[in-house]
């Protein structure tokens, strides 16, 4: 019995010591590294190379009797020919919308129906649009405007600007630390701030009056571009301080 008691006295302290040692190891935390957090930004502007121009043609009457109507197909052929002569591929010329309405004359029932048709012309720039419109019957052109524009290599440009933003963040962290005699370490965390890209307001300076004043055999070209697309990104980065 005495031998058993001595054995218990030896075992219990040893077990408690091992448990205490294990608990102490669990609560010990590694010291946090010194770090610096900065934000870098970059931006770039490019001219859009995919411009979608909407041209709307509308039927009309040549006289006041509303009998001699210019058919929409006549106007469409004029436009199609002008587009082909401008060197624009068929796949970049399509119908965008079709509308129509009947005209009322006094108390009489409507007897005439006028159709309008919108076409989308995709061009790399606006230089040839003035000449195209000048080849179509003046009275048949109802309106023209830029529906939208894009940049074909936008994804590659986004990557490039993001990398530049991250490089700017690293450079900022480096010179800030050098100012206090510290050295920049490796990147610990990187956060992308999604700014995206913003096309500038769309507008067109189509010189339609001067274009129509030229000879029908000459296709004048405007030299005015649309505003540029701006791509801007910000990146937040955390670096270790050596």
């Amino acid at each position: 019995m005495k031998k058993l008691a001595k054995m218990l006295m030896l075992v219990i302290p040893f077990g408690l010591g091992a448990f205490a040692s294990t608990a102490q190891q669990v609560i010990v935390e590694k010291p946090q590294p010194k770090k610096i957090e900065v934000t870098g930004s970059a931006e770039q502007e490019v001219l859009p190379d995919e411009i979608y121009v909407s041209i709307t043609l509308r039927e009309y009457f040549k006289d006041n009797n509303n009998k001699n109507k210019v058919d929409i197909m006549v106007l469409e052929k004029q436009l199609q020919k002008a587009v082909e002569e401008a060197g624009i591929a068929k796949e970049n010329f399509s119908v965008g919308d079709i509308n129509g309405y009947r005209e009322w004359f006094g108390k009489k029932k409507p007897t005439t129906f006028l159709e309008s048709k919108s076409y989308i012309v995709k061009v790399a720039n606006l230089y040839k649009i003035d000449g195209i419109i000048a080849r179509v019957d003046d009275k048949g052109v109802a309106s023209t405007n830029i529906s939208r524009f894009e940049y074909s290599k936008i994804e590659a440009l986004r990557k490039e600007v993001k990398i530049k933003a991250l490089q700017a963040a690293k450079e900022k962290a480096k010179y800030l630390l050098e100012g206090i005699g510290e050295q920049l370490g490796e990147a610990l965390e990187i956060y992308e701030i999604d700014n995206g890209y913003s096309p500038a307001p769309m507008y067109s300076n189509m010189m339609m009056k001067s274009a129509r004043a030229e000879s029908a055999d000459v296709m004048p070209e405007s030299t005015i571009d649309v505003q540029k697309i701006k791509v801007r990104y910000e990146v937040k980065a955390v670096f270790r301080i050596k």
Side-chain angles (χ1 to χ4, degrees), residues 55-62 68-80 82 131-143 208 212 216:
I55 301 174
T56 301
L57 305 180
R58 187 176 67 177
E59 295 178 331
Y60 70 95
F61 293 103
K62 287 185 175 181
N68 192 4
K69 183 174 72 172
V70 177
D71 193 88
I72 191 67
M73 292 308 299
V74 174
L75 300 171
E76 183 177 288
K77 288 180 180 179
Q78 293 176 1
L79 178 60
Q80 187 174 7
I132 290 174
I133 298 173
R135 295 282 182 99
V136 182
D137 189 345
D138 283 9
K139 294 183 179 180
V141 179
S143 64
M208 294 179 62
R212 295 183 184 283

Side-chain angles (χ1 to χ4, degrees), residues 117-133:
K117 222 171 182 181
S118 296
Y119 304 84
I120 302 296
V121 182
K122 178 184 173 183
V123 294
N125 51 61
L126 292 178
Y127 301 163
K128 294 184 178 181
I129 292 297
D130 294 332
I132 290 174
I133 298 173

Side-chain angles (χ1 to χ4, degrees), residues 7-48:
M7 291 176 64
L8 289 173
M9 290 175 66
L10 291 172
V11 171
I12 291 173
F14 177 78
L16 288 173
F19 177 78
S21 177
T22 303
Q24 186 177 4
Q25 291 177 4
V26 171
I27 61 174
V28 171
E29 296 182 357
K30 293 182 179 180
Q32 294 294 323
K34 295 189 298 180
K35 57 187 179 180
I36 181 173
E37 180 178 315
V38 293
T39 301
S41 63
E43 65 180 39
Q44 188 171 335
E45 290 185 339
V46 292
L47 277 172

Side-chain angles (χ1 to χ4, degrees), residues 3 34 41 54 58 69 114 170-171 193 205 230:
K3 289 182 178 181
K34 295 189 298 180
S41 63
S54 174
R58 187 176 67 177
K69 183 174 72 172
L114 296 178
K170 184 178 180 180
E171 182 63 25
I193 303 174
N205 287 305
K230 179 186 289 186

Side-chain angles (χ1 to χ4, degrees), residues 5 116 139 155 182 187:
S116 65
K139 294 183 179 180
E155 291 303 324
E182 298 282 358

